[in-house]
Amino acid sequence: MDSGEKISFSEGKLVVPDRPIVPYIEGDGIGPDIWRAAVMVIDGAIKKCWQERRQIIWKEVLAGEKAFKQTEQWLPQDTLDAFREFRVGIKGPLTTPVGKGIRSLNVTLRQKLDLYACVRPIRYFKGAPSPVKEPQKVEMVVFRENTEDVYAGLELESGAEETLALLHHLSETYGWHIRSDSAIGIKPISKTGSDRLIRAAIEFALEHQRRSVTLVHKGNIQKFTEGAFRNWGYELAKEAYPDRTISWEDVEGTPPASKVLIKDTIADIFFQQALTRPEDFDVIATMNLNGDYISDALAAQVGGVGMAPGANINYQKGYAIFEATHGTAPKYAGLDKVNPTSLILSGAMMLDHMGWSEAAILIEKGIEKAIAGKKVTYDLARLMEGAEEIPCSRFAEQVCEQMELA
């Protein structure tokens, strides 16, 4: 078997050999089912584009239930080391251990590898069921800060000694009178974390000829955290990209096509406008909790989280893990039933990130044609008139067949 080569990182860019080693976690629950489907499509697209000249050399690494059964660890150090060594990887959904210890394996991976940008492209595939009238107008890319906000996990339990001590300190020092039976969570929002996330969003918009970057926040209430995120975003655009961006405060009439428009909106208003006029939004930059809500809500408009890919990326160091954005659905494990599109599209995102864009485009075309053919997995079939329900593996085969015809 070909041993492959490592992806490297030089001068801010990935250097990808023709046979890169890519670590993968197949995932828990439905993970093995959707992984088999995804790897079939990913390998098929690469072969269609380059025959034998390019090939991914897959390297399995362990996390979640499979890791615990084999190593008695939910997230072995070897897995973290492999993602650092090989830089780009992909994973299925993982179970979060119940009880004490790791709060979330997904969050732990992001924090340990400092994968600060959660990137979620949201687009509509014609024929997919949707609860809105014009889902084709939803075409956004969400950049969600991945390491701060309430997801930092800085919490104290209600009634604990240290919690009561903190409440007393806050009362004495700041005059904050908080109920004594309160639990406490800390919401850190830093300029450093905000800047690098917003920079990634702006550079994506510039590189992909997108129209605008919208800073989504709740700064009208949380002025020193989310309000600061908004202000830092405008400052960064003006200082780092003065000739390539323009603030909506500086626009007179129609924004110039040569510049990316930087604007902002309050989070609750964004949810309303994403339903009533989604065409007004393009690239979204937001904080961790807002981004979690927003990406799932937008996915619902185009067919659900089963249709939504995702990535966690450190653009400064060249690390990236691509992932299915849904859960493990254990009741369907091993039934060859669920929709593999999220993981397949995450694989397409990975190929595009690696510079293998031809294969990524081919995968998207294959999925689009497969859905249009109305032979789909149960989650889509039950909502599509005249559709035929087929297994997960058969849907992947159909995507491959459509790619061959492309």
Side-chain angles (χ1 to χ4, degrees), residues 161-180 184:
E161 184 177 341
E162 58 268 31
T163 311
L164 296 173
L166 177 59
L167 292 174
H168 178 73
H169 171 74
L170 295 175
S171 176
E172 291 293 312
T173 306
Y174 300 107
W176 296 357
H177 302 299
I178 303 171
R179 292 185 181 96
S180 61
I184 297 292

Side-chain angles (χ1 to χ4, degrees), residues 307-335:
M307 302 291 294
N312 301 287
I313 303 173
N314 185 318
Y315 289 94
Q316 297 172 338
K317 297 180 180 179
Y319 298 127
I321 299 178
F322 298 80
E323 64 179 358
T325 59
H326 51 71
T328 58
K331 72 176 183 178
Y332 295 120
L335 299 182

Side-chain angles (χ1 to χ4, degrees), residues 73-382:
Q73 297 178 69
W74 289 96
L75 183 59
Q77 185 62 43
D78 286 350
T79 297
L80 293 169
D81 292 343
F83 282 126
R84 288 192 182 98
E85 181 178 3
F86 300 107
R87 294 194 178 272
V88 175
I90 188 169
K91 57 176 282 295
L94 292 174
T95 298
T96 295
V98 176
K100 302 291 184 181
I102 294 174
R103 291 172 180 267
S104 164
L105 294 173
N106 294 321
V107 171
T108 301
L109 274 169
R110 296 165 191 170
Q111 292 180 341
K112 292 286 187 182
L113 298 172
D114 197 23
L115 303 174
Y116 60 84
C118 179
V119 185
R120 296 278 295 270
I122 311 291
R123 60 155 293 188
Y124 179 66
F125 288 91
K126 186 176 181 180
S130 169
V132 298
K133 289 183 177 180
E134 298 180 299
Q136 72 279 3
K137 291 184 176 180
V138 180
E139 187 168 348
M140 305 180 208
V141 181
V142 178
F143 278 74
R144 165 191 171 192
E145 203 290 320
N146 232 354
T147 65
E148 298 187 325
D149 204 352
V150 294
Y151 275 66
L154 305 176
E155 294 186 306
L156 294 174
E157 189 176 1
S158 172
E161 184 177 341
E162 58 268 31
T163 311
L164 296 173
L166 177 59
L167 292 174
H168 178 73
H169 171 74
L170 295 175
S171 176
E172 291 293 312
T173 306
Y174 300 107
W176 296 357
H177 302 299
I178 303 171
R179 292 185 181 96
S180 61
D181 59 351
S182 295
I184 297 292
I186 304 297
K187 178 188 178 75
I189 302 291
S190 71
K191 186 175 189 301
T192 299
S194 299
D195 276 2
R196 64 182 185 174
L197 182 280
I198 296 166
R199 184 183 295 274
I202 292 174
E203 292 190 353
F204 177 91
L206 291 168
E207 183 179 346
H208 293 82
Q209 292 81 52
R210 309 297 288 231
R211 306 180 315 276
S212 66
V213 174
T214 303
L215 308 168
V216 181
H217 61 92
K218 196 64 178 158
N220 57 329
I221 304 300
Q222 301 171 61
K223 299 183 184 300
F224 299 139
T225 52
E226 303 215 2
F229 177 89
R230 169 199 180 275
N231 296 339
W232 291 328
Y234 280 118
E235 290 169 8
L236 174 68
K238 289 179 180 178
E239 292 171 6
Y241 309 95
D243 299 323
R244 305 182 70 190
T245 66
I246 186 169
S247 165
W248 67 351
E249 296 172 347
D250 299 326
V251 172
E252 296 180 3
T254 303
S258 60
K259 294 186 177 183
V260 171
L261 177 66
I262 309 297
K263 56 182 180 173
D264 75 277
T265 189
I266 304 299
D268 45 317
I269 299 300
F270 172 81
F271 281 100
Q272 174 180 296
Q273 293 178 340
L275 288 169
T276 58
R277 51 179 205 253
E279 66 274 14
D280 287 356
F281 301 103
D282 198 339
V283 177
I284 306 300
T286 191
M287 288 144 291
N288 211 334
L289 185 60
N290 289 339
D292 195 2
Y293 296 153
I294 287 168
S295 51
D296 280 5
L298 292 176
Q301 293 182 231
V302 298
V305 291
M307 302 291 294
N312 301 287
I313 303 173
N314 185 318
Y315 289 94
Q316 297 172 338
K317 297 180 180 179
Y319 298 127
I321 299 178
F322 298 80
E323 64 179 358
T325 59
H326 51 71
T328 58
K331 72 176 183 178
Y332 295 120
L335 299 182
D336 192 24
K337 184 178 181 70
V338 299
N339 187 349
T341 301
S342 175
L343 191 58
I344 293 172
L345 287 174
S346 295
M349 278 185 76
M350 183 184 75
L351 294 174
D352 186 63
H353 185 71
M354 290 164 51
W356 295 11
S357 300
E358 298 95 325
I361 293 168
L362 186 62
I363 288 172
E364 291 190 354
K365 288 180 178 178
I367 288 174
E368 192 162 30
K369 290 179 180 178
I371 290 173
K374 291 192 173 184
K375 293 183 179 180
V376 291
T377 50
Y378 84 100
D379 58 312
L380 301 180
R382 63 186 177 179

